[in-house]
């Protein structure tokens, strides 16, 4: 598995949002993408998934160009996307949400999923609409795994969750790293990204302005101040 984003420019109508973004996710890597609100993080993920295709530049996956393909074709290559808005099927039960997504080739069977996401075990008959934010977040990540991805693309999984739930999600993501799964993670929680990521990119005004392992950032907090506008 290797994702390579090279020099992409993405627009919403006339609004030029990404100005030549380059990034890579290598096999088994967890890559964090940070940046202030409006920097273009979600747009980068939407470009990768073919939802807002780049006007210029190339995105390739395992050496094959995927920019220009339809979102469902990109998903079928083995890339699962968990958007910021938790898109659970609200009128379906937890079990139905999971079963619908299951690909028979996926190593993630229902028993295995319930072992990993144990809070979902007692909620199998509960409708999606009757779940808490944290339960919904677990469900959408579990559902993404049911499709058997090689690359998981997550947009702000910690958003709006209580610290205890964030820690539970963090534990799962940490464990997932051992499962030969690559992850591209957009996060507002710098703590979460710093704890999990092998490498971090910072996006500012639609450009990558920094790339390093988290240790380098931890040793020089002024980088955050400069590019994200906060002291850590
Ligand atoms: P956030 O943390 O707020 O989600 P982000 O880094 O993910 O920020 P994006 O959502 O990618 O940022 O937005 C980048 C820029 O594109 C912003 O200026 C935003 O206003 C603009 N934008 C986002 N979605 C649209 C859209 N559908 N139409 C027009 N402009 C948009």
């Amino acid at each position: 598995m290797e994702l390579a984003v090279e020099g992409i420019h993405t627009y919403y109508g006339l609004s030029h949002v990404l100005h030549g973004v380059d990034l890579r996710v290598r096999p088994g890597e967890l890559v964090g993408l940070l940046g202030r609100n409006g920097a273009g993080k979600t747009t980068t993920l939407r470009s990768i998934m073919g939802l807002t295709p780049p006007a210029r530049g190339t995105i390739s996956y395992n050496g094959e160009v995927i920019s220009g393909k339809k979102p469902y074709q990109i998903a079928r290559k083995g890339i699962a996307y968990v958007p910021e808005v938790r898109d659970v099927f609200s009128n379906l039960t937890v079990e139905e949400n999971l079963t619908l997504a299951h690909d028979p080739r996926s190593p993630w069977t229902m028993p295995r999923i319930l072992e990993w996401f144990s809070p979902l075990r007692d909620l199998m008959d509960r409708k999606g609409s009757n779940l808490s934010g944290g339960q919904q977040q677990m469900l959408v990540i579990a559902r993404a795994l049911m499709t058997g991805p090689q690359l998981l693309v997550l947009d702000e999984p910690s958003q709006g969750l209580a610290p205890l739930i964030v820690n539970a999600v963090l534990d799962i993501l940490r464990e997932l790293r051992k499962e030969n799964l690559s992850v591209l993670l957009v996060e507002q929680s710098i703590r979460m990204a710093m704890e999990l990521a092998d490498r971090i990119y910072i996006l500012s005004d639609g450009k990558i302005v920094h790339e390093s392992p988290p240790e380098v950032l931890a040793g020089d907090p002024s980088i955050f101040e400069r590019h994200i506008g906060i002291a850590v």
Side-chain angles (χ1 to χ4, degrees):
M1 180 332 289
E2 170 133 11
L3 176 79
V5 174
E6 292 170 296
I8 61 165
H9 289 253
T10 302
Y11 295 72
Y12 292 104
L14 291 177
S15 166
H16 191 171
V17 174
L18 300 186
H19 299 263
V21 169
D22 290 302
L23 68 84
R24 257 167 216 277
V25 184
R26 302 191 180 93
E29 247 191 340
L30 195 150
V31 170
L33 181 60
L34 300 175
R36 58 166 74 97
N37 285 347
K41 303 180 297 295
T42 298
T43 307
T44 302
L45 302 190
R46 291 182 57 86
S47 300
I48 293 167
M49 299 313 297
L51 296 162
T52 310
R56 297 203 298 286
T58 314
I59 302 171
S60 49
Y61 186 64
N62 297 333
E64 182 191 355
V65 174
I66 57 166
S67 38
K69 293 196 187 295
K70 299 262 179 290
Y72 75 89
Q73 293 171 316
I74 294 170
R76 274 194 202 153
K77 302 273 174 209
I79 309 180
Y81 177 46
V82 179
E84 199 170 356
V85 186
R86 296 175 193 126
D87 61 345
V88 294
F89 300 121
S90 52
N91 56 342
L92 300 183
T93 64
V94 167
E95 185 170 13
E96 288 165 340
N97 266 276
L98 292 171
T99 310
L100 264 184
H102 189 242
D103 184 309
R105 292 163 301 177
S106 171
W108 294 92
T109 57
M110 188 70 90
R112 190 154 177 246
I113 283 286
L114 296 180
E115 215 173 281
W116 278 66
F117 297 82
S118 51
L120 296 180
R121 246 182 253 158
D122 298 328
L123 302 168
M124 290 295 265
D125 297 327
R126 181 96 47 106
K127 287 260 165 68
S129 52
N130 294 334
L131 299 176
S132 69
Q135 291 162 346
Q136 287 189 347
Q137 188 61 63
M138 288 207 179
L139 178 57
V140 288
I141 296 174
R143 201 179 61 189
L145 292 175
M146 288 295 260
T147 67
Q150 295 174 300
L151 173 64
L152 189 60
V153 175
L154 296 172
D155 198 348
E156 296 196 13
S158 74
Q159 202 191 31
L161 301 184
L164 215 62
I165 312 285
V166 171
N167 283 337
V169 172
L170 211 123
D171 284 342
I172 290 172
L173 293 179
R174 196 177 285 124
E175 288 295 310
L176 277 178
R177 298 184 47 188
K178 300 177 192 151
E179 296 298 305
N180 203 22
L181 190 82
S182 306
V183 180
L184 176 57
L185 172 73
V186 160
E187 252 311 325
Q188 241 171 15
S189 160
I190 291 177
R191 174 184 77 95
M192 186 158 168
M194 294 282 281
E195 278 187 32
L196 284 171
D198 300 300
R199 242 161 10 93
I200 290 188
Y201 289 98
I202 299 179
L203 194 62
S204 177
D205 291 333
K207 294 188 192 90
I208 298 290
V209 291
H210 179 85
E211 180 211 341
S212 75
E215 298 77 36
V216 173
L217 282 165
D220 185 358
S222 72
I223 299 171
F224 285 118
E225 250 168 285
R226 216 172 319 133
H227 299 305
I228 309 190
I230 46 154
V232 179

